[in-house]
Amino acid sequence: MFHNPETAINLPQRITVMQGQVYVGTGANEILTTVLGSCIACCLYDPLARVGGMNHFLLAEPSPGSGTVADQNYGIYLMELLINQMMTRGGVKSRMKAHVYGGANMHVGMTRIGDANARFAKNFLAEEKIPILRMDVGGESARRVDFDPVMGRTRCRTVEPVAAPAPKPVVAPQTGGGEVELF
Amino acid sequence: MSENIHVLTVDDSASMRALLRAALTSRGYNVSQAEDGVAALEWLADNNGGIDVIVTDINMPRMDGFGLIEALREQSRFRDCPILVLSTESSDEKKARARSAGATGWIVKPFDAEKLDSALRRVTH
């Protein structure tokens, strides 16, 4: 057999979606991947536009009146960012379907952040009327998620806890959100 | 005083509406809300336009923020009403489009409640 360079170049590009990030597929041959502990990754997919994207958030939302900015550490911001970026690529919100992964409670005896995160994702998607096709959350194991944003296929496997990066808040850039520009 | 300022927030995300309502009511604003541009126009028609300032998202179903701003500026009673865009978008092209449609300003999400408060005070006084 001769080596066929055509098959070699058809391998998908693996794109890691880190905590605090959102990535929407470009239509190229890509696999979005991430490793989760107590964090949540939500994968959204519009089957008609064949557009999919993933986010990866640390916490649900700031408590009301705390004065904390709902920045890239929070699901409430990263969910909206994901939906908007999907819409920019031709996705329609009413057609979107969701897969939700993560939300493990990695450390027994500590605050069950994973449960709070999973509850937030479920409530947010219900409020936005986006159906959840698959939800694999909770437990005490880390998970690796792979998502094909063109086909909308996901794979979720449990992995050794050491594979999940320790969750920590992402420091907002100096010129981050909330900037006001009056015309 | 913000107690007398009536804000209409327009955002299709129920979670974002709840966050905005909490941030603004805790600072004394009177808050009304609509889920998209069409609902905002209906609310304004039903309430005889009784609003001091409008804060609108851009990406929304039925009628987006650009469409809402254009529709409002066509009505003489909203020609001078301050309209702030509150969006995850921050491209110069989108800002220029909002500006030419008649927006008063642009605020990038995630919003900082203090900065939003200060912007609302500036455009309503």
Side-chain angles (χ1 to χ4, degrees), chain A residues 32-44:
Chain A
L32 314 187
T33 184
T34 198
V35 177
L36 306 156
S38 60
C39 290
I40 291 278
C42 178
C43 305
L44 291 183

PDB file of all heavy atoms in Angstrom, chain A residues 32-44:
ATOM      1  N   LEU A  32     -13.974  20.203  18.904  1.00  0.00           N
ATOM      2  CA  LEU A  32     -13.776  21.046  20.095  1.00  0.00           C
ATOM      3  C   LEU A  32     -13.647  20.111  21.289  1.00  0.00           C
ATOM      4  O   LEU A  32     -14.434  19.174  21.437  1.00  0.00           O
ATOM      5  CB  LEU A  32     -14.958  22.000  20.288  1.00  0.00           C
ATOM      6  CG  LEU A  32     -15.454  22.735  19.053  1.00  0.00           C
ATOM      7  CD1 LEU A  32     -16.503  23.776  19.443  1.00  0.00           C
ATOM      8  CD2 LEU A  32     -14.311  23.381  18.302  1.00  0.00           C
ATOM      9  N   THR A  33     -12.686  20.379  22.121  1.00  0.00           N
ATOM     10  CA  THR A  33     -12.438  19.468  23.232  1.00  0.00           C
ATOM     11  C   THR A  33     -12.147  20.234  24.509  1.00  0.00           C
ATOM     12  O   THR A  33     -11.628  21.352  24.471  1.00  0.00           O
ATOM     13  CB  THR A  33     -11.280  18.495  22.867  1.00  0.00           C
ATOM     14  OG1 THR A  33     -11.122  17.556  23.918  1.00  0.00           O
ATOM     15  CG2 THR A  33      -9.974  19.243  22.669  1.00  0.00           C
ATOM     16  N   THR A  34     -12.517  19.636  25.634  1.00  0.00           N
ATOM     17  CA  THR A  34     -12.195  20.257  26.917  1.00  0.00           C
ATOM     18  C   THR A  34     -12.232  19.200  28.012  1.00  0.00           C
ATOM     19  O   THR A  34     -12.817  18.130  27.838  1.00  0.00           O
ATOM     20  CB  THR A  34     -13.162  21.418  27.235  1.00  0.00           C
ATOM     21  OG1 THR A  34     -12.601  22.252  28.226  1.00  0.00           O
ATOM     22  CG2 THR A  34     -14.523  20.921  27.716  1.00  0.00           C
ATOM     23  N   VAL A  35     -11.590  19.504  29.132  1.00  0.00           N
ATOM     24  CA  VAL A  35     -11.619  18.618  30.297  1.00  0.00           C
ATOM     25  C   VAL A  35     -12.239  19.396  31.450  1.00  0.00           C
ATOM     26  O   VAL A  35     -11.885  20.546  31.703  1.00  0.00           O
ATOM     27  CB  VAL A  35     -10.205  18.120  30.672  1.00  0.00           C
ATOM     28  CG1 VAL A  35     -10.259  17.266  31.929  1.00  0.00           C
ATOM     29  CG2 VAL A  35      -9.600  17.339  29.528  1.00  0.00           C
ATOM     30  N   LEU A  36     -13.204  18.753  32.124  1.00  0.00           N
ATOM     31  CA  LEU A  36     -14.007  19.452  33.123  1.00  0.00           C
ATOM     32  C   LEU A  36     -13.953  18.756  34.480  1.00  0.00           C
ATOM     33  O   LEU A  36     -14.009  17.535  34.551  1.00  0.00           O
ATOM     34  CB  LEU A  36     -15.478  19.471  32.681  1.00  0.00           C
ATOM     35  CG  LEU A  36     -15.769  20.025  31.298  1.00  0.00           C
ATOM     36  CD1 LEU A  36     -17.082  19.459  30.774  1.00  0.00           C
ATOM     37  CD2 LEU A  36     -15.830  21.540  31.345  1.00  0.00           C
ATOM     38  N   GLY A  37     -13.902  19.566  35.519  1.00  0.00           N
ATOM     39  CA  GLY A  37     -14.149  19.079  36.869  1.00  0.00           C
ATOM     40  C   GLY A  37     -15.508  19.612  37.296  1.00  0.00           C
ATOM     41  O   GLY A  37     -16.547  19.163  36.830  1.00  0.00           O
ATOM     42  N   SER A  38     -15.477  20.642  38.149  1.00  0.00           N
ATOM     43  CA  SER A  38     -16.749  21.243  38.579  1.00  0.00           C
ATOM     44  C   SER A  38     -17.296  22.237  37.550  1.00  0.00           C
ATOM     45  O   SER A  38     -18.445  22.655  37.630  1.00  0.00           O
ATOM     46  CB  SER A  38     -16.566  21.958  39.921  1.00  0.00           C
ATOM     47  OG  SER A  38     -15.595  22.980  39.792  1.00  0.00           O
ATOM     48  N   CYS A  39     -16.444  22.614  36.584  1.00  0.00           N
ATOM     49  CA  CYS A  39     -16.898  23.524  35.522  1.00  0.00           C
ATOM     50  C   CYS A  39     -17.947  22.839  34.647  1.00  0.00           C
ATOM     51  O   CYS A  39     -18.080  21.615  34.666  1.00  0.00           O
ATOM     52  CB  CYS A  39     -15.734  23.936  34.620  1.00  0.00           C
ATOM     53  SG  CYS A  39     -14.553  25.035  35.397  1.00  0.00           S
ATOM     54  N   ILE A  40     -18.650  23.655  33.876  1.00  0.00           N
ATOM     55  CA  ILE A  40     -19.637  23.144  32.914  1.00  0.00           C
ATOM     56  C   ILE A  40     -19.200  23.525  31.509  1.00  0.00           C
ATOM     57  O   ILE A  40     -18.710  24.635  31.283  1.00  0.00           O
ATOM     58  CB  ILE A  40     -21.032  23.777  33.170  1.00  0.00           C
ATOM     59  CG1 ILE A  40     -21.631  23.291  34.482  1.00  0.00           C
ATOM     60  CG2 ILE A  40     -21.990  23.532  31.998  1.00  0.00           C
ATOM     61  CD1 ILE A  40     -22.325  21.955  34.446  1.00  0.00           C
ATOM     62  N   ALA A  41     -19.379  22.591  30.585  1.00  0.00           N
ATOM     63  CA  ALA A  41     -19.277  22.927  29.155  1.00  0.00           C
ATOM     64  C   ALA A  41     -20.654  22.708  28.552  1.00  0.00           C
ATOM     65  O   ALA A  41     -21.245  21.642  28.719  1.00  0.00           O
ATOM     66  CB  ALA A  41     -18.257  22.061  28.445  1.00  0.00           C
ATOM     67  N   CYS A  42     -21.163  23.730  27.893  1.00  0.00           N
ATOM     68  CA  CYS A  42     -22.426  23.596  27.177  1.00  0.00           C
ATOM     69  C   CYS A  42     -22.121  23.595  25.685  1.00  0.00           C
ATOM     70  O   CYS A  42     -21.423  24.486  25.196  1.00  0.00           O
ATOM     71  CB  CYS A  42     -23.370  24.750  27.527  1.00  0.00           C
ATOM     72  SG  CYS A  42     -24.924  24.663  26.623  1.00  0.00           S
ATOM     73  N   CYS A  43     -22.603  22.575  24.990  1.00  0.00           N
ATOM     74  CA  CYS A  43     -22.453  22.512  23.539  1.00  0.00           C
ATOM     75  C   CYS A  43     -23.811  22.826  22.929  1.00  0.00           C
ATOM     76  O   CYS A  43     -24.808  22.173  23.250  1.00  0.00           O
ATOM     77  CB  CYS A  43     -22.034  21.117  23.092  1.00  0.00           C
ATOM     78  SG  CYS A  43     -20.547  20.505  23.891  1.00  0.00           S
ATOM     79  N   LEU A  44     -23.858  23.830  22.068  1.00  0.00           N
ATOM     80  CA  LEU A  44     -25.098  24.168  21.371  1.00  0.00           C
ATOM     81  C   LEU A  44     -24.942  23.806  19.899  1.00  0.00           C
ATOM     82  O   LEU A  44     -23.860  23.942  19.321  1.00  0.00           O
ATOM     83  CB  LEU A  44     -25.406  25.667  21.492  1.00  0.00           C
ATOM     84  CG  LEU A  44     -25.790  26.196  22.866  1.00  0.00           C
ATOM     85  CD1 LEU A  44     -26.138  27.673  22.764  1.00  0.00           C
ATOM     86  CD2 LEU A  44     -26.945  25.412  23.465  1.00  0.00           C
TER      87      LEU A  44
END
